[in-house]
Amino acid sequence: MTDRPACYPAPPAALQAGAGPDRAPLLDVLTSPVPLGLFDSPVDGRHVLCLHVGEPVPVSYRMDGHERQGVRLHGRFCVVPAGSSTRWIVSKPARSLLLRLTPSLLREISETMGLSAHAGQLAPSIHVRDAQVECIGWMMQAEDHDAYPGGRVFTDSLASALAARLLALQSRKPAASERHTRALPVWRLRHVLDYIEAHLDEDLSLAELAAVAGFSLSHFKPLFKQATGMPVHRFVLERRVERARTLLLEGKKNMGEIALDAGFSHASHMARCMRRVLGLSPSQIASSRH
């Protein structure tokens, strides 16, 4: 295994305890800034999952020898296999939650699952959404924030769960239409995303957003879904839920004010949507800041 890239700090002592000098943690986590402009992800001796944190950021990236365009969305992740790198052009500074997974564990889990020998290698993936992987990422982030109260045994169990889930996801093949559908030009997508953020507290319509993008409604809907991975209405809903979650954690406004600021008709509407998207009520989210 290669050394940890110089731009990454050393793993926490709580994950190194009792591991011996030659055994790095099976999984560790780091919140890392992603700079504006051209960015080559560091080459790492481990498989690296990059979960996007924060508001949407349009990007260009190089994959399969071709330049592609897309958008980084909160909770979606990219897979950079061990020993490789991905080149990005980022439209504005961003943040990533990096999960580093040891390749030997992936091979071991692959054998346990009865998969073929080549299945123990990860393929590069861009802008994937999976609730289980996302949950593991936030649990690792919480462990790191609290100085690893669960210790090595808990993070090792999360590492095994992550490896198994990645192997399961890798066996799925995208449909041909998903591989070849053209996405929105990145500058048009940026314009639409900025408009959504600036008018999130208003009653946005599909026709309005299509006009902002400069496309007819019939063209805009599939292009937006290809670019972001979800329909327009779902994207707007998730942005509203994320704004509400942020305001609840800040604790400066009451439920009714937060609901209106995030574009919900009332507090009960906000609560229903948050439970559907996050599986948590507003009061549960507000109480987590203490």
Side-chain angles (χ1 to χ4, degrees):
M1 182 183 300
T2 60
D3 292 336
R4 188 178 179 88
C7 62
Y8 295 170
L15 293 188
Q16 296 284 23
D22 299 322
R23 187 184 169 219
L26 297 177
L27 178 67
D28 59 23
V29 66
L30 169 70
T31 300
S32 173
V34 180
L36 168 70
L38 184 65
F39 173 74
D40 292 313
S41 61
V43 177
D44 198 307
R46 294 185 173 195
H47 303 305
V48 180
L49 271 70
C50 308
L51 277 80
H52 179 59
V53 179
E55 65 181 60
V57 177
V59 296
S60 299
Y61 56 92
R62 188 167 185 81
M63 189 175 183
D64 301 328
H66 300 284
E67 294 293 334
R68 310 283 180 85
Q69 295 178 343
V71 58
R72 291 167 55 104
L73 298 175
H74 184 77
R76 293 178 73 177
F77 66 91
C78 303
V79 176
V80 183
S84 63
S85 177
T86 302
R87 169 161 288 189
W88 300 88
I89 299 177
V90 184
S91 64
K92 64 179 182 178
R95 283 193 305 145
S96 288
L97 186 72
L98 305 180
L99 301 174
R100 295 176 68 238
L101 183 69
T102 183
S104 60
L105 175 65
L106 194 80
R107 292 191 294 269
E108 179 183 327
I109 297 297
S110 176
E111 293 173 4
T112 301
M113 295 172 66
L115 301 176
S116 60
H118 71 273
Q121 299 296 320
L122 279 185
S125 300
I126 302 293
H127 300 158
V128 181
R129 180 176 292 280
D130 181 73
Q132 294 184 35
V133 170
E134 187 176 345
C135 182
I136 291 170
W138 304 142
M139 284 193 288
M140 281 294 296
Q141 184 184 50
E143 281 290 293
D144 183 63
H145 182 267
D146 295 335
Y148 295 89
R152 183 66 177 260
V153 66
F154 182 60
T155 57
D156 282 357
S157 67
L158 290 180
S160 297
L162 179 60
R165 184 60 181 169
L166 290 173
L167 289 168
L169 290 174
Q170 186 166 274
S171 65
R172 301 177 184 176
K173 302 297 182 183
S177 60
E178 293 176 335
R179 292 195 299 266
H180 301 299
T181 301
R182 184 180 175 185
L184 279 171
V186 68
W187 68 270
R188 291 183 185 268
L189 180 61
R190 174 74 269 166
H191 193 38
V192 173
L193 298 183
D194 285 345
Y195 187 89
I196 290 173
E197 292 297 319
H199 299 83
L200 203 55
D201 59 342
E202 301 175 13
D203 187 17
L204 294 168
S205 70
L206 278 172
E208 178 184 359
L209 296 178
V212 170
F215 285 92
S216 68
L217 182 58
S218 61
H219 282 87
F220 173 68
K221 288 172 64 178
L223 289 174
F224 185 91
K225 184 176 181 180
Q226 174 64 19
T228 64
M230 64 183 73
V232 182
H233 70 275
R234 178 70 186 190
F235 180 89
V236 172
L237 173 63
E238 292 202 4
R239 292 310 305 155
R240 285 178 169 152
V241 167
E242 178 60 21
R243 176 174 291 183
R245 188 187 72 85
T246 300
L247 293 173
L248 285 165
L249 291 174
E250 289 176 356
K252 297 178 180 179
K253 297 183 177 182
N254 63 42
M255 295 286 185
E257 291 173 326
I258 290 173
L260 294 177
D261 284 353
F264 297 106
S265 54
H266 45 70
S268 295
H269 180 210
M270 177 179 72
R272 287 197 303 272
C273 292
M274 296 194 86
R275 280 193 291 266
R276 190 167 77 209
V277 174
L278 301 177
L280 297 169
S281 68
S283 58
Q284 287 174 309
I285 293 170
S287 64
S288 69
R289 70 175 182 265
H290 301 302

